[in-house]
Amino acid sequence: ENFDLNLSSTKPPLLEAGIGFVRLHDKNTYYYSLTNLKTTGTIFVNGEEIVVAGKSWMDHQWADTKYSKDRWTWFSLQLDNGFEMVCFEYGSEKRKDYLANWIEVGGAQGHTSEIALTPLDNGWKSPKTKNVYNTSWRIEVPSKQIVLAVSPEISNQEMIFGAVNYWEGPLKVRGTIAGRKVRGQGFLELVGEPLEYGALRMMSKMVGNIRNKIL
């Protein structure tokens, strides 16, 4: 095994939308987050045992529906002032649903659909699929006076699962809440971005390369 970790939640579950049940277009999902898990244990890298301590996040989302062709931009953020937030946009250009959920140091929770997510650059271009992913964003929640800028710790984080493409990776976070400076860490999911160089074409190229090596 590569991990031996103990995780203990320091806060109550964050119930997305206030009740742990979210309506997305014609789809519904149950959803809660454990945003601040005290974490201790060991990890093993190249046979070396390393003692670690830190903070983790766990999401639990379940629904009786399929999301194979859906599209979303999703953030989980842990700030150094003890404030955590999960926010996202879901849907197509014709219709998008927005939701932000946060939990404060003492466990108080808030929720709003009034958020703005704005790309901050021209994105990272995948050398494999040629797809461009916006990985740096500005996140604004006016009712909470939240203004954050996030950027990737690692750019090359694209994953392909059949015909579905993901960009998932860690973020660094900077910004303000009610005028006070904050910083922290986070995670971003970009799912269902339009592919310019599809999985089938990519697979055909891989098969061709293997065939050429064999010949």
Short mmCIF file of all heavy atoms in Angstrom, two decimals, residues 150-185:
data_model
loop_
_atom_site.label_atom_id
_atom_site.label_comp_id
_atom_site.label_asym_id
_atom_site.label_seq_id
_atom_site.Cartn_x
_atom_site.Cartn_y
_atom_site.Cartn_z
N VAL A 150 -7.54 32.08 -8.46
CA VAL A 150 -6.94 30.76 -8.31
C VAL A 150 -6.12 30.44 -9.56
O VAL A 150 -6.46 30.85 -10.67
CB VAL A 150 -8.01 29.67 -8.08
CG1 VAL A 150 -8.85 29.99 -6.87
CG2 VAL A 150 -8.91 29.50 -9.30
N SER A 151 -5.04 29.70 -9.35
CA SER A 151 -4.18 29.29 -10.47
C SER A 151 -3.63 27.90 -10.17
O SER A 151 -3.50 27.51 -9.01
CB SER A 151 -3.04 30.29 -10.68
OG SER A 151 -2.29 30.46 -9.49
N PRO A 152 -3.28 27.14 -11.20
CA PRO A 152 -2.87 25.74 -11.00
C PRO A 152 -1.47 25.61 -10.42
O PRO A 152 -0.56 26.37 -10.77
CB PRO A 152 -2.94 25.15 -12.41
CG PRO A 152 -2.69 26.31 -13.31
CD PRO A 152 -3.32 27.49 -12.64
N GLU A 153 -1.30 24.64 -9.53
CA GLU A 153 0.03 24.27 -9.06
C GLU A 153 0.77 23.47 -10.13
O GLU A 153 1.99 23.56 -10.27
CB GLU A 153 -0.08 23.44 -7.78
CG GLU A 153 -0.64 24.19 -6.58
CD GLU A 153 0.38 25.08 -5.90
OE1 GLU A 153 1.50 25.22 -6.42
OE2 GLU A 153 0.04 25.64 -4.84
N ILE A 154 0.01 22.66 -10.89
CA ILE A 154 0.56 21.82 -11.96
C ILE A 154 -0.37 21.96 -13.16
O ILE A 154 -1.58 21.76 -13.03
CB ILE A 154 0.63 20.34 -11.54
CG1 ILE A 154 1.38 20.18 -10.22
CG2 ILE A 154 1.28 19.49 -12.63
CD1 ILE A 154 1.26 18.80 -9.61
N SER A 155 0.18 22.31 -14.33
CA SER A 155 -0.67 22.53 -15.49
C SER A 155 -1.09 21.25 -16.18
O SER A 155 -2.24 21.09 -16.60
CB SER A 155 0.05 23.45 -16.50
OG SER A 155 0.20 24.74 -15.97
N ASN A 156 -0.17 20.31 -16.31
CA ASN A 156 -0.43 19.10 -17.09
C ASN A 156 -1.20 18.08 -16.25
O ASN A 156 -0.64 17.14 -15.70
CB ASN A 156 0.88 18.49 -17.58
CG ASN A 156 0.65 17.40 -18.62
OD1 ASN A 156 -0.48 17.03 -18.91
ND2 ASN A 156 1.73 16.89 -19.18
N GLN A 157 -2.53 18.29 -16.15
CA GLN A 157 -3.38 17.44 -15.31
C GLN A 157 -4.59 16.89 -16.08
O GLN A 157 -5.62 16.60 -15.48
CB GLN A 157 -3.87 18.25 -14.10
CG GLN A 157 -2.78 18.56 -13.08
CD GLN A 157 -2.38 17.33 -12.28
OE1 GLN A 157 -1.30 16.80 -12.43
NE2 GLN A 157 -3.27 16.85 -11.43
N GLU A 158 -4.47 16.76 -17.38
CA GLU A 158 -5.58 16.24 -18.19
C GLU A 158 -5.67 14.72 -18.07
O GLU A 158 -4.67 14.02 -18.04
CB GLU A 158 -5.38 16.61 -19.66
CG GLU A 158 -6.52 16.17 -20.55
CD GLU A 158 -6.25 16.38 -22.02
OE1 GLU A 158 -5.13 16.03 -22.47
OE2 GLU A 158 -7.13 16.88 -22.73
N MET A 159 -6.93 14.24 -17.99
CA MET A 159 -7.19 12.79 -17.95
C MET A 159 -8.30 12.47 -18.93
O MET A 159 -9.26 13.23 -19.08
CB MET A 159 -7.58 12.36 -16.54
CG MET A 159 -6.44 12.42 -15.54
SD MET A 159 -7.00 12.17 -13.84
CE MET A 159 -7.57 13.82 -13.46
N ILE A 160 -8.16 11.32 -19.61
CA ILE A 160 -9.15 10.88 -20.59
C ILE A 160 -9.74 9.55 -20.13
O ILE A 160 -9.02 8.60 -19.87
CB ILE A 160 -8.53 10.71 -21.99
CG1 ILE A 160 -7.83 11.99 -22.44
CG2 ILE A 160 -9.59 10.30 -23.00
CD1 ILE A 160 -8.76 13.17 -22.64
N PHE A 161 -11.08 9.51 -20.02
CA PHE A 161 -11.79 8.28 -19.68
C PHE A 161 -12.75 7.99 -20.82
O PHE A 161 -13.86 8.51 -20.87
CB PHE A 161 -12.56 8.42 -18.37
CG PHE A 161 -11.68 8.66 -17.18
CD1 PHE A 161 -11.48 9.94 -16.69
CD2 PHE A 161 -11.05 7.61 -16.54
CE1 PHE A 161 -10.67 10.18 -15.60
CE2 PHE A 161 -10.23 7.83 -15.44
CZ PHE A 161 -10.05 9.11 -14.97
N GLY A 162 -12.30 7.17 -21.77
CA GLY A 162 -13.13 6.89 -22.94
C GLY A 162 -13.37 8.17 -23.72
O GLY A 162 -12.43 8.83 -24.15
N ALA A 163 -14.64 8.54 -23.88
CA ALA A 163 -14.97 9.75 -24.63
C ALA A 163 -15.08 10.98 -23.73
O ALA A 163 -15.40 12.07 -24.19
CB ALA A 163 -16.29 9.54 -25.38
N VAL A 164 -14.84 10.81 -22.40
CA VAL A 164 -14.97 11.92 -21.46
C VAL A 164 -13.59 12.43 -21.06
O VAL A 164 -12.71 11.64 -20.71
CB VAL A 164 -15.75 11.49 -20.20
CG1 VAL A 164 -15.88 12.65 -19.23
CG2 VAL A 164 -17.12 10.96 -20.58
N ASN A 165 -13.39 13.72 -21.13
CA ASN A 165 -12.10 14.30 -20.76
C ASN A 165 -12.24 15.15 -19.50
O ASN A 165 -13.23 15.85 -19.32
CB ASN A 165 -11.55 15.15 -21.91
CG ASN A 165 -12.48 16.27 -22.30
OD1 ASN A 165 -13.65 16.05 -22.58
ND2 ASN A 165 -11.97 17.49 -22.32
N TYR A 166 -11.24 15.04 -18.65
CA TYR A 166 -11.19 15.78 -17.38
C TYR A 166 -9.90 16.59 -17.32
O TYR A 166 -8.86 16.18 -17.84
CB TYR A 166 -11.14 14.82 -16.19
CG TYR A 166 -12.43 14.15 -15.81
CD1 TYR A 166 -13.02 13.18 -16.63
CD2 TYR A 166 -13.04 14.44 -14.60
CE1 TYR A 166 -14.18 12.55 -16.25
CE2 TYR A 166 -14.21 13.81 -14.22
CZ TYR A 166 -14.77 12.87 -15.04
OH TYR A 166 -15.93 12.23 -14.66
N TRP A 167 -9.96 17.73 -16.65
CA TRP A 167 -8.77 18.37 -16.10
C TRP A 167 -9.03 18.47 -14.61
O TRP A 167 -10.00 19.08 -14.17
CB TRP A 167 -8.53 19.76 -16.69
CG TRP A 167 -7.19 20.33 -16.32
CD1 TRP A 167 -6.06 20.34 -17.08
CD2 TRP A 167 -6.82 20.95 -15.07
NE1 TRP A 167 -5.02 20.92 -16.41
CE2 TRP A 167 -5.45 21.30 -15.16
CE3 TRP A 167 -7.49 21.22 -13.89
CZ2 TRP A 167 -4.76 21.92 -14.12
CZ3 TRP A 167 -6.81 21.83 -12.85
CH2 TRP A 167 -5.46 22.19 -12.97
N GLU A 168 -8.17 17.87 -13.82
CA GLU A 168 -8.30 17.90 -12.36
C GLU A 168 -6.95 18.18 -11.75
O GLU A 168 -5.98 17.50 -12.07
CB GLU A 168 -8.81 16.56 -11.82
CG GLU A 168 -10.21 16.19 -12.23
CD GLU A 168 -10.69 14.91 -11.54
OE1 GLU A 168 -9.83 14.18 -11.00
OE2 GLU A 168 -11.89 14.66 -11.53
N GLY A 169 -6.88 19.16 -10.85
CA GLY A 169 -5.59 19.42 -10.24
C GLY A 169 -5.63 20.42 -9.11
O GLY A 169 -6.63 21.13 -8.90
N PRO A 170 -4.53 20.51 -8.35
CA PRO A 170 -4.44 21.40 -7.19
C PRO A 170 -4.27 22.86 -7.60
O PRO A 170 -3.69 23.17 -8.64
CB PRO A 170 -3.21 20.88 -6.44
CG PRO A 170 -2.36 20.28 -7.52
CD PRO A 170 -3.31 19.69 -8.51
N LEU A 171 -4.75 23.74 -6.72
CA LEU A 171 -4.72 25.18 -6.97
C LEU A 171 -4.04 25.92 -5.83
O LEU A 171 -4.07 25.48 -4.68
CB LEU A 171 -6.14 25.74 -7.08
CG LEU A 171 -7.07 25.19 -8.15
CD1 LEU A 171 -8.48 25.71 -7.90
CD2 LEU A 171 -6.59 25.56 -9.54
N LYS A 172 -3.48 27.07 -6.15
CA LYS A 172 -3.12 28.04 -5.12
C LYS A 172 -4.14 29.17 -5.18
O LYS A 172 -4.63 29.53 -6.26
CB LYS A 172 -1.70 28.57 -5.30
CG LYS A 172 -1.36 29.09 -6.66
CD LYS A 172 0.13 29.39 -6.76
CE LYS A 172 0.51 29.77 -8.19
NZ LYS A 172 1.99 29.96 -8.33
N VAL A 173 -4.49 29.71 -4.01
CA VAL A 173 -5.59 30.67 -3.89
C VAL A 173 -5.10 31.94 -3.22
O VAL A 173 -4.38 31.89 -2.21
CB VAL A 173 -6.75 30.06 -3.05
CG1 VAL A 173 -7.93 31.02 -3.03
CG2 VAL A 173 -7.16 28.70 -3.60
N ARG A 174 -5.48 33.09 -3.80
CA ARG A 174 -5.18 34.39 -3.22
C ARG A 174 -6.40 35.27 -3.38
O ARG A 174 -7.16 35.13 -4.34
CB ARG A 174 -3.98 35.05 -3.94
CG ARG A 174 -2.69 34.24 -3.94
CD ARG A 174 -2.06 34.19 -2.57
NE ARG A 174 -0.76 33.52 -2.60
CZ ARG A 174 -0.59 32.21 -2.47
NH1 ARG A 174 -1.65 31.42 -2.31
NH2 ARG A 174 0.61 31.67 -2.51
N GLY A 175 -6.60 36.23 -2.45
CA GLY A 175 -7.71 37.15 -2.62
C GLY A 175 -8.11 37.83 -1.33
O GLY A 175 -7.30 37.97 -0.41
N THR A 176 -9.40 38.24 -1.27
CA THR A 176 -9.90 38.93 -0.10
C THR A 176 -11.31 38.45 0.24
O THR A 176 -12.08 38.04 -0.63
CB THR A 176 -9.97 40.47 -0.32
OG1 THR A 176 -10.82 40.75 -1.44
CG2 THR A 176 -8.58 41.04 -0.57
N ILE A 177 -11.64 38.50 1.54
CA ILE A 177 -13.00 38.30 2.02
C ILE A 177 -13.32 39.49 2.92
O ILE A 177 -12.62 39.72 3.92
CB ILE A 177 -13.16 36.98 2.79
CG1 ILE A 177 -12.88 35.78 1.88
CG2 ILE A 177 -14.57 36.87 3.37
CD1 ILE A 177 -13.01 34.43 2.57
N ALA A 178 -14.33 40.25 2.53
CA ALA A 178 -14.70 41.47 3.26
C ALA A 178 -13.49 42.40 3.43
O ALA A 178 -13.30 43.02 4.47
CB ALA A 178 -15.30 41.13 4.61
N GLY A 179 -12.67 42.47 2.39
CA GLY A 179 -11.52 43.37 2.38
C GLY A 179 -10.27 42.83 3.04
O GLY A 179 -9.21 43.46 2.95
N ARG A 180 -10.37 41.69 3.71
CA ARG A 180 -9.20 41.11 4.38
C ARG A 180 -8.52 40.10 3.47
O ARG A 180 -9.17 39.25 2.88
CB ARG A 180 -9.61 40.44 5.69
CG ARG A 180 -10.13 41.41 6.73
CD ARG A 180 -10.37 40.71 8.06
NE ARG A 180 -10.79 41.65 9.09
CZ ARG A 180 -11.00 41.31 10.36
NH1 ARG A 180 -10.82 40.06 10.75
NH2 ARG A 180 -11.38 42.23 11.24
N LYS A 181 -7.20 40.19 3.41
CA LYS A 181 -6.45 39.30 2.54
C LYS A 181 -6.49 37.86 3.04
O LYS A 181 -6.40 37.62 4.24
CB LYS A 181 -4.99 39.76 2.42
CG LYS A 181 -4.82 41.05 1.64
CD LYS A 181 -3.35 41.40 1.47
CE LYS A 181 -3.18 42.68 0.66
NZ LYS A 181 -1.74 43.02 0.47
N VAL A 182 -6.63 36.94 2.11
CA VAL A 182 -6.62 35.51 2.42
C VAL A 182 -5.79 34.79 1.37
O VAL A 182 -5.57 35.28 0.26
CB VAL A 182 -8.04 34.91 2.46
CG1 VAL A 182 -8.83 35.47 3.62
CG2 VAL A 182 -8.77 35.14 1.14
N ARG A 183 -5.36 33.63 1.75
CA ARG A 183 -4.67 32.75 0.81
C ARG A 183 -4.97 31.32 1.21
O ARG A 183 -5.47 31.05 2.30
CB ARG A 183 -3.16 33.01 0.80
CG ARG A 183 -2.49 32.90 2.14
CD ARG A 183 -1.10 33.51 2.12
NE ARG A 183 -0.26 32.91 1.10
CZ ARG A 183 0.89 33.44 0.67
NH1 ARG A 183 1.28 34.60 1.15
NH2 ARG A 183 1.61 32.84 -0.22
N GLY A 184 -4.66 30.38 0.34
CA GLY A 184 -4.93 29.00 0.68
C GLY A 184 -4.67 28.06 -0.47
O GLY A 184 -3.86 28.35 -1.37
N GLN A 185 -5.36 26.93 -0.44
CA GLN A 185 -5.17 25.89 -1.45
C GLN A 185 -6.54 25.42 -1.92
O GLN A 185 -7.56 25.67 -1.29
CB GLN A 185 -4.40 24.72 -0.85
CG GLN A 185 -5.11 24.05 0.33
CD GLN A 185 -4.25 23.04 1.04
OE1 GLN A 185 -3.11 22.83 0.70
NE2 GLN A 185 -4.82 22.39 2.04
#
